[in-house]
Amino acid sequence: MPAYILTLQCPDTTGIIHAMTGSLLAMDANILEQEQFSDLQTGQFFARTRFEAAVDDVDGIRNALTDAMAAFSPQLRLRLESAHRRALIMVSQYDHCLLDVLYRWSAGELPLDIVGVVSNHQTCRPIAERYGLPFAYLPVTSQTKAEQEGRLLAMVRDEAVDLVVLARYMQILSEDACQALSGRVINIHHSFLPGFKGARPYHQAYERGVKLIGATAHFVTSDLDEGPIIEQQVARVNHVATPEALAEVGRDVERLALSRAVRLFAEDRVFLNHQRTVVFGS
Amino acid sequence: MPAYILTLQCPDTTGIIHAMTGSLLAMDANILEQEQFSDLQTGQFFARTRFEAAVDDVDGIRNALTDAMAAFSPQLRLRLESAHRRALIMVSQYDHCLLDVLYRWSAGELPLDIVGVVSNHQTCRPIAERYGLPFAYLPVTSQTKAEQEGRLLAMVRDEAVDLVVLARYMQILSEDACQALSGRVINIHHSFLPGFKGARPYHQAYERGVKLIGATAHFVTSDLDEGPIIEQQVARVNHVATPEALAEVGRDVERLALSRAVRLFAEDRVFLNHQRTVVFGS
Amino acid sequence: MPAYILTLQCPDTTGIIHAMTGSLLAMDANILEQEQFSDLQTGQFFARTRFEAAVDDVDGIRNALTDAMAAFSPQLRLRLESAHRRALIMVSQYDHCLLDVLYRWSAGELPLDIVGVVSNHQTCRPIAERYGLPFAYLPVTSQTKAEQEGRLLAMVRDEAVDLVVLARYMQILSEDACQALSGRVINIHHSFLPGFKGARPYHQAYERGVKLIGATAHFVTSDLDEGPIIEQQVARVNHVATPEALAEVGRDVERLALSRAVRLFAEDRVFLNHQRTVVFGS
Amino acid sequence: MPAYILTLQCPDTTGIIHAMTGSLLAMDANILEQEQFSDLQTGQFFARTRFEAAVDDVDGIRNALTDAMAAFSPQLRLRLESAHRRALIMVSQYDHCLLDVLYRWSAGELPLDIVGVVSNHQTCRPIAERYGLPFAYLPVTSQTKAEQEGRLLAMVRDEAVDLVVLARYMQILSEDACQALSGRVINIHHSFLPGFKGARPYHQAYERGVKLIGATAHFVTSDLDEGPIIEQQVARVNHVATPEALAEVGRDVERLALSRAVRLFAEDRVFLNHQRTVVFGS
């Protein structure tokens, strides 16, 4: 039987789960996983349901669910689990996050269709090619930034990209690009945000003498390093570590935080909740 | 409005959540938290729901739910959230776990009614008295073990105890006592089970040269140190640590693992699932 | 044989350890532990040595070491291990850090002489008294702050206090007090500094939606929440946690970070190194 | 100036560091890092020193140190830091540990000369070739095991291999091979030893219902899964995880534990101490 993933978001009230499960029951669907959360502060309700149904008809099921839940005016998304989200990876010259994402993808750990790798450098071309992925070289200067982002946005549109992964992409997206891609860009920042925003966070961490080093995967907004956090990881360090040693330890937490965030997104477990996120199963 | 905690366990099939939420909707209840899990290996379904209802009638609500769900033959438990589980603490001479449980309890972190402290030593009497708790001194020898356990079981029955916490109680319960209290006794073992079962686990850990030290909170069964695990914690150590230093570091993870397990039980988040547990929100 | 703890700090050059070990060898001392660190950035050398010697003469040994090492102009400190550092604990109304420090102290885990507890509230008096410690109630208003700090400084002087522990003391020390006690005051800040400086850090953390919650033990300087960091701890949280739940989880990492920092200080393992610290054995 | 790494092991007594630092001082060497440990249980002394000297003469310096320290009959090893340890990697079909070791090596994180990859399968040949490494296919059956190990030992001898890394090599080395390579083979076992020795540890962990999953890097001895432990890592899991999900989470801790152990060995930080290890800087 085909499996489906349903996500729901609406104002919290009574009867939401009952309506949803009633609609699934009417089509003889079998719930495999379900998670929900009522945010008492914002009054929002969030749910994710994974179910099997005998019929292979995503539009029909979506229509039935939409009708059954009309009273709640939900943001409702349904897809076949096998119809993977489509992702584009962006990278500059540091390759550790790219390699980690591609390795996990090739090992079947990331249920994503990766449509290609984009970079402002040629450095990572061989890695993309080894995995049989298209590599687009989009160099950028302050003069060409608007044009380069135009090409990126065209690619996102043409390839129906659901997720742009900034795997240590060292350019700041313009406010327009951030708007156009809102909720669809995940960045890895190499610090435990909100500590050490901006450039050279490992040098900042060294100067401050912290005893734990971190990395933060977050949605990108036009407010630099302030987007909603999806995942964070830390590792212990001590006074012996130079900024270079911090960066080296940091690479382990960077790839772990980014790959986990990408996977959570790929499985439709991440919801935006104003400046925060709801993340099921994290 | 009063809040209720409902737990359910039954063979997995379709319609369970729909029936349950339908019954709650019919009584205008408002779901605050809900978690469920279908174990595809064992075919068991588990759920915990916390809800508010206008009526203050636990028996009436329980009857309504029982009727609505009769087709599923569930193990169904319902209580007012304010009607705390009742716990008895057992301890020998090490007091760190007892102190941690009592501190968290007095700080409002453990929603339990603690009915008393039982010990085979007088050492911890002042601690119990400081918290205004009855202290029962039940010494035990191989000759008096059956009688001592008889007094313990009488206390459990008379005080309607839901949970016995072995907070470093250094006596092994008899097979009869384990049977009588099945699913109601949580022990803290001072190792990362299944490593280092039995006596002197920190000495065993030292001999083996492990680099992480652990503690395990588990349900007690007649199979020593083999009961279903509820919570585990670890801490890093190195070659410098003597067995005594391991024990000292270990005390931190012991109290954390035990207090978390007790809290999870107190909030009705722990289910037995054959030799394993389902633990919501851990 | 009596054990001694020697600490050294001086500009880094060749021959320091050789001179020190030569002096110890000449007095037939037996080195039990030794750690040293050369900071290549600042050119400073740090060492801590624990040794046994047949003679019980701290002044004689100190003079011998001072003579032997005169060429290096070190900051040299020597004490009998049994001549504990003297500590004063300050607290306001939250008692979890105070209780943790006092419990570990009474269990022999903190080799300190605690001379008393000072508070701007009466709340914690019974705790101090239970441990047989003098309790000084020093209330403070903006008008009386100078006078109150004067009494505090007098107490530090009269009792020869080496360490003031701010165990959730909610008043900010004046610049004068910070200067007078420089390098001798350890505070616990309830966030992962440098994130969430200032007031209500758990509310800040909630707003920012972080996935890990932290605590930082640091030396107090007149630059609020910017003093050199000694120890940090974190715990995982998710979207379900309210600010109150973050605070509750946070209490576990607060007491752990503070107690570890106090212990490291008590064992003479902590050195100031400009805005950073050197911490042996952490 | 060239940097050297010196390691020492001998019965603990007074004067060892003084003699060593005296010899270094006589040759105007500058100590960059030094660590030592006296095991009071076994009476053994261990030290690692990294120093710079004006002369580029490893034999001359070794002779001088050997003379200076003759009274202590130490196991003394000295090498230029740039004269890397030589390693051979063995793998079967799971490639995640191999890829991690090779990535870190190519990124300059593992100061090793890797002389080749050996496998009983052809699966990982392309990975070895991508990194420009010789790949030896040494299939093995119970009939050919002695011959296959003979070829392996010849390779170790001919290539002057200091370290054999079993990066998920699924064959058990014979007792003879274990003896011949004693102290030179590091294995990654996919459990938190001593829990779950032997085959299918993730299935064992699932059956036991543990809440943390681990991996252990250890020296190989003829006593299977009982060799001295170098490094351990754990990750949190819950009741939702199937054996396959445990294995997937486990891959992260496997590669981390193995790569850290290999690096510690590569930097001469690991000492055998009977059934245990001394590991500096871990």
Side-chain angles (χ1 to χ4, degrees):
Chain A
M1 287 207 289
Y4 295 84
I5 296 178
L6 166 70
T7 59
L8 276 180
Q9 182 170 350
C10 61
D12 194 21
T13 182
T14 56
I16 306 171
I17 303 175
H18 188 64
M20 187 267 281
T21 54
S23 180
L24 292 181
L25 192 60
M27 62 182 88
D28 271 331
N30 182 31
I31 294 175
L32 299 168
E33 290 177 53
Q34 184 175 320
E35 294 180 279
Q36 57 276 317
F37 172 62
S38 298
D39 187 327
L40 303 181
Q41 268 82 1
T42 64
Q44 283 288 297
F45 173 85
F46 306 84
R48 174 187 185 270
T49 306
R50 193 170 146 259
F51 63 89
E52 298 173 315
V55 290
D56 188 348
D57 175 11
V58 70
D59 292 328
I61 295 177
R62 191 187 295 111
N63 289 340
L65 283 161
T66 303
D67 287 352
M69 310 204 64
F72 306 105
S73 308
Q75 296 172 44
L76 183 156
R77 297 176 55 145
L78 181 77
R79 65 171 170 98
L80 277 162
E81 190 173 27
S82 58
H84 287 174
R85 296 263 168 254
R86 296 170 64 79
L88 185 69
I89 321 285
M90 299 188 74
V91 67
S92 292
Q93 292 180 287
Y94 294 117
D95 63 4
H96 55 286
C97 287
L98 175 68
L99 277 167
D100 196 61
V101 167
L102 295 183
Y103 177 73
R104 291 175 195 266
W105 173 68
S106 69
E109 293 181 22
L110 290 180
L112 275 177
D113 288 347
I114 298 184
V115 303
V117 176
V118 168
S119 182
N120 57 330
H121 293 272
Q122 293 280 19
T123 321
C124 293
R125 178 182 292 276
I127 295 171
E129 292 178 346
R130 183 192 319 150
Y131 283 96
L133 291 171
F135 179 87
Y137 171 51
L138 295 189
V140 59
T141 66
S142 49
Q143 278 74 39
T144 63
K145 181 158 190 150
E147 183 207 329
Q148 191 241 24
E149 288 191 344
R151 294 178 60 188
L152 171 66
L153 291 175
M155 211 178 288
V156 165
R157 190 185 56 234
D158 296 348
E159 292 283 353
V161 166
D162 299 296
L163 174 64
V164 177
V165 179
L166 305 188
R168 299 298 307 270
Y169 179 68
M170 308 304 273
Q171 297 288 320
I172 296 170
L173 295 185
S174 70
E175 187 154 351
D176 284 354
C178 288
Q179 289 284 9
L181 297 171
S182 175
R184 288 189 286 165
V185 186
I186 295 179
N187 181 50
I188 181 70
H189 184 75
H190 41 314
S191 87
F192 189 74
L193 288 175
F196 313 130
K197 289 182 250 190
R200 294 167 57 88
Y202 291 123
H203 286 80
Q204 293 182 56
Y206 174 81
E207 293 298 332
R208 190 61 187 84
V210 290
K211 302 301 183 186
L212 292 164
I213 209 78
T216 304
H218 63 96
F219 283 117
V220 170
T221 62
S222 57
D223 203 355
L224 187 66
D225 297 335
E226 290 285 355
I229 293 170
I230 302 167
E231 172 68 3
Q232 296 186 295
Q233 293 280 331
V234 289
R236 198 157 184 94
V237 293
N238 67 15
H239 58 272
V240 171
T242 58
E244 293 68 36
L246 295 181
E248 189 179 319
V249 172
R251 286 199 285 271
D252 282 340
V253 286
E254 288 171 34
R255 53 190 152 199
L256 201 54
L258 181 63
S259 287
R260 293 211 174 158
V262 168
R263 180 182 185 150
L264 290 163
F265 186 99
E267 297 179 342
D268 287 343
R269 296 181 188 275
V270 184
F271 297 74
L272 272 169
N273 185 18
H274 302 278
Q275 295 311 305
R276 310 170 73 239
T277 59
V278 170
V279 183
F280 288 132
S282 70
Chain B
M1 288 208 290
Y4 294 85
I5 296 178
L6 166 69
T7 58
L8 275 180
Q9 182 170 351
C10 62
D12 194 21
T13 183
T14 56
I16 306 171
I17 303 175
H18 188 65
M20 187 267 281
T21 53
S23 179
L24 292 181
L25 193 59
M27 62 182 89
D28 271 332
N30 181 32
I31 294 175
L32 299 168
E33 291 178 50
Q34 185 174 319
E35 293 179 281
Q36 58 276 317
F37 172 62
S38 298
D39 187 327
L40 303 181
Q41 267 83 359
T42 63
Q44 283 287 298
F45 173 87
F46 305 85
R48 175 188 184 270
T49 306
R50 192 170 148 259
F51 63 88
E52 297 173 315
V55 289
D56 188 348
D57 175 11
V58 70
D59 292 326
I61 295 177
R62 190 186 297 112
N63 289 339
L65 283 161
T66 302
D67 288 352
M69 309 203 64
F72 306 104
S73 308
Q75 294 172 45
L76 183 156
R77 296 176 56 146
L78 181 78
R79 65 172 170 98
L80 278 163
E81 191 173 29
S82 58
H84 288 176
R85 296 263 168 255
R86 295 169 65 80
L88 185 68
I89 321 285
M90 298 188 75
V91 67
S92 291
Q93 292 181 288
Y94 294 116
D95 62 4
H96 54 287
C97 288
L98 174 68
L99 277 166
D100 196 61
V101 166
L102 294 183
Y103 177 72
R104 291 175 196 266
W105 172 68
S106 70
E109 293 181 22
L110 290 179
L112 276 178
D113 288 347
I114 297 184
V115 303
V117 176
V118 168
S119 182
N120 57 330
H121 292 272
Q122 293 279 19
T123 321
C124 294
R125 179 183 290 276
I127 296 171
E129 293 179 344
R130 184 193 317 150
Y131 282 96
L133 291 170
F135 178 87
Y137 171 51
L138 295 190
V140 59
T141 66
S142 49
Q143 278 73 40
T144 63
K145 181 157 190 152
E147 184 206 328
Q148 191 241 22
E149 289 191 344
R151 294 177 62 188
L152 171 66
L153 292 174
M155 211 178 287
V156 165
R157 191 185 55 236
D158 296 347
E159 292 283 354
V161 166
D162 299 295
L163 173 65
V164 177
V165 179
L166 305 188
R168 299 299 306 272
Y169 179 68
M170 308 303 273
Q171 297 289 320
I172 297 171
L173 295 185
S174 71
E175 187 155 351
D176 284 353
C178 289
Q179 289 285 9
L181 297 171
S182 176
R184 287 190 286 165
V185 186
I186 295 178
N187 181 50
I188 181 71
H189 184 74
H190 41 315
S191 87
F192 189 73
L193 288 175
F196 313 130
K197 289 182 251 190
R200 293 168 57 91
Y202 292 123
H203 286 79
Q204 293 182 56
Y206 173 82
E207 293 300 330
R208 190 61 187 85
V210 291
K211 302 300 185 187
L212 293 163
I213 209 79
T216 303
H218 64 95
F219 282 117
V220 170
T221 62
S222 57
D223 203 356
L224 188 66
D225 297 335
E226 290 286 355
I229 294 170
I230 302 168
E231 172 69 3
Q232 296 186 294
Q233 293 279 332
V234 289
R236 199 159 184 91
V237 294
N238 68 15
H239 58 272
V240 172
T242 58
E244 293 68 35
L246 295 181
E248 188 178 321
V249 172
R251 286 200 285 271
D252 281 340
V253 286
E254 287 170 35
R255 54 189 151 200
L256 202 53
L258 181 63
S259 286
R260 293 211 175 158
V262 169
R263 179 182 184 150
L264 291 162
F265 186 98
E267 297 179 341
D268 286 344
R269 296 181 187 275
V270 184
F271 297 73
L272 272 169
N273 186 17
H274 302 278
Q275 297 309 307
R276 311 171 72 240
T277 58
V278 170
V279 183
F280 289 131
S282 71
Chain C
M1 288 207 291
Y4 295 85
I5 297 179
L6 166 69
T7 58
L8 274 181
Q9 182 170 350
C10 61
D12 194 21
T13 183
T14 56
I16 306 171
I17 303 175
H18 188 66
M20 187 266 281
T21 54
S23 179
L24 292 181
L25 193 59
M27 60 183 91
D28 270 330
N30 181 32
I31 294 176
L32 299 168
E33 290 177 53
Q34 184 175 321
E35 293 179 281
Q36 58 276 317
F37 172 61
S38 298
D39 187 328
L40 302 181
Q41 267 81 2
T42 62
Q44 283 287 298
F45 173 85
F46 305 85
R48 174 187 185 270
T49 306
R50 192 170 147 259
F51 62 88
E52 298 174 314
V55 289
D56 188 350
D57 175 11
V58 70
D59 292 327
I61 294 177
R62 189 186 297 110
N63 288 341
L65 282 160
T66 302
D67 288 352
M69 311 204 62
F72 307 104
S73 307
Q75 296 173 45
L76 183 156
R77 296 175 56 145
L78 181 78
R79 65 172 170 98
L80 277 162
E81 190 173 28
S82 58
H84 288 175
R85 296 263 167 253
R86 296 169 65 79
L88 185 69
I89 321 285
M90 298 188 75
V91 67
S92 291
Q93 292 181 286
Y94 294 116
D95 62 4
H96 55 287
C97 287
L98 174 68
L99 276 166
D100 196 61
V101 166
L102 294 184
Y103 177 72
R104 292 175 195 267
W105 172 68
S106 70
E109 294 181 21
L110 290 180
L112 275 177
D113 288 348
I114 298 184
V115 303
V117 175
V118 167
S119 181
N120 57 330
H121 293 272
Q122 293 279 17
T123 321
C124 293
R125 178 183 292 276
I127 296 172
E129 292 179 347
R130 184 192 319 150
Y131 282 95
L133 291 171
F135 178 87
Y137 172 50
L138 295 189
V140 60
T141 66
S142 49
Q143 278 74 41
T144 62
K145 182 160 190 147
E147 183 206 330
Q148 190 240 25
E149 289 190 344
R151 292 177 61 189
L152 172 66
L153 293 175
M155 211 177 288
V156 166
R157 190 185 55 236
D158 295 349
E159 292 284 354
V161 167
D162 299 294
L163 173 66
V164 176
V165 179
L166 305 187
R168 298 301 306 273
Y169 179 68
M170 308 304 272
Q171 296 289 320
I172 297 170
L173 295 186
S174 70
E175 188 156 349
D176 284 354
C178 288
Q179 288 284 9
L181 297 171
S182 176
R184 287 189 286 165
V185 186
I186 295 178
N187 182 50
I188 181 70
H189 184 75
H190 41 315
S191 87
F192 189 74
L193 288 175
F196 312 131
K197 288 182 251 190
R200 293 165 58 88
Y202 291 122
H203 286 80
Q204 294 182 54
Y206 174 82
E207 294 299 331
R208 190 61 187 85
V210 291
K211 302 300 184 187
L212 292 164
I213 209 78
T216 304
H218 63 96
F219 282 117
V220 170
T221 62
S222 57
D223 203 354
L224 188 66
D225 297 335
E226 290 285 355
I229 293 170
I230 301 168
E231 172 68 3
Q232 296 187 296
Q233 293 280 330
V234 288
R236 199 158 184 93
V237 294
N238 67 15
H239 58 273
V240 172
T242 58
E244 292 68 35
L246 296 181
E248 189 178 320
V249 172
R251 287 199 285 271
D252 281 339
V253 286
E254 288 170 35
R255 51 190 153 199
L256 203 53
L258 181 62
S259 286
R260 293 211 174 159
V262 169
R263 181 183 183 147
L264 290 163
F265 186 98
E267 296 179 343
D268 287 344
R269 296 180 187 276
V270 184
F271 297 74
L272 273 169
N273 185 18
H274 302 278
Q275 296 309 305
R276 311 171 72 238
T277 58
V278 170
V279 182
F280 289 131
S282 72
Chain D
M1 287 207 290
Y4 295 84
I5 297 178
L6 166 69
T7 58
L8 275 181
Q9 183 170 351
C10 61
D12 194 21
T13 183
T14 56
I16 306 171
I17 303 175
H18 189 64
M20 188 267 281
T21 53
S23 179
L24 292 180
L25 193 59
M27 62 183 89
D28 270 332
N30 181 31
I31 295 175
L32 299 168
E33 290 177 53
Q34 184 175 318
E35 293 179 282
Q36 58 276 317
F37 172 62
S38 299
D39 187 328
L40 303 182
Q41 267 82 0
T42 63
Q44 283 287 297
F45 174 85
F46 306 85
R48 175 188 184 269
T49 306
R50 194 171 146 259
F51 63 88
E52 299 174 314
V55 290
D56 188 348
D57 175 10
V58 70
D59 292 328
I61 295 177
R62 190 186 297 111
N63 288 341
L65 282 160
T66 302
D67 288 353
M69 309 203 65
F72 306 104
S73 308
Q75 296 173 45
L76 182 156
R77 297 175 54 144
L78 182 77
R79 66 172 170 98
L80 277 162
E81 190 173 28
S82 59
H84 288 175
R85 295 266 168 252
R86 295 169 66 79
L88 186 69
I89 321 285
M90 299 189 73
V91 67
S92 292
Q93 293 181 288
Y94 294 117
D95 62 4
H96 54 287
C97 287
L98 175 68
L99 277 166
D100 197 60
V101 166
L102 294 184
Y103 177 72
R104 291 176 197 266
W105 172 69
S106 70
E109 293 181 21
L110 290 180
L112 275 178
D113 288 347
I114 298 184
V115 303
V117 176
V118 168
S119 183
N120 56 330
H121 293 272
Q122 292 280 19
T123 321
C124 294
R125 179 183 291 277
I127 296 172
E129 292 179 346
R130 184 192 317 150
Y131 282 96
L133 291 171
F135 178 86
Y137 171 51
L138 295 189
V140 60
T141 66
S142 49
Q143 280 73 41
T144 63
K145 182 159 189 147
E147 184 206 327
Q148 191 241 22
E149 289 191 345
R151 293 178 62 189
L152 172 65
L153 292 175
M155 211 178 287
V156 166
R157 191 186 55 235
D158 295 348
E159 292 284 354
V161 167
D162 299 296
L163 173 66
V164 176
V165 179
L166 304 188
R168 297 300 305 271
Y169 179 69
M170 308 303 273
Q171 297 289 321
I172 297 171
L173 295 186
S174 70
E175 188 155 350
D176 284 353
C178 289
Q179 288 285 9
L181 298 171
S182 175
R184 287 189 286 165
V185 186
I186 295 178
N187 181 50
I188 181 71
H189 183 75
H190 41 315
S191 87
F192 188 73
L193 287 175
F196 312 131
K197 289 182 250 190
R200 293 165 57 87
Y202 292 123
H203 286 79
Q204 293 183 54
Y206 173 82
E207 294 299 331
R208 190 60 187 86
V210 291
K211 302 300 184 187
L212 294 163
I213 208 79
T216 304
H218 64 96
F219 282 117
V220 170
T221 62
S222 57
D223 203 355
L224 188 66
D225 298 335
E226 290 286 354
I229 294 170
I230 303 169
E231 172 69 3
Q232 296 186 296
Q233 293 279 331
V234 290
R236 198 159 184 93
V237 293
N238 67 16
H239 58 273
V240 172
T242 58
E244 292 69 35
L246 295 181
E248 188 178 320
V249 172
R251 286 200 284 272
D252 282 340
V253 286
E254 287 171 36
R255 53 190 151 200
L256 202 53
L258 181 62
S259 286
R260 294 212 174 158
V262 169
R263 180 183 184 148
L264 290 163
F265 185 98
E267 296 179 343
D268 287 343
R269 296 181 187 275
V270 184
F271 297 73
L272 273 169
N273 185 19
H274 302 278
Q275 296 309 307
R276 311 171 72 239
T277 59
V278 170
V279 183
F280 289 132
S282 71

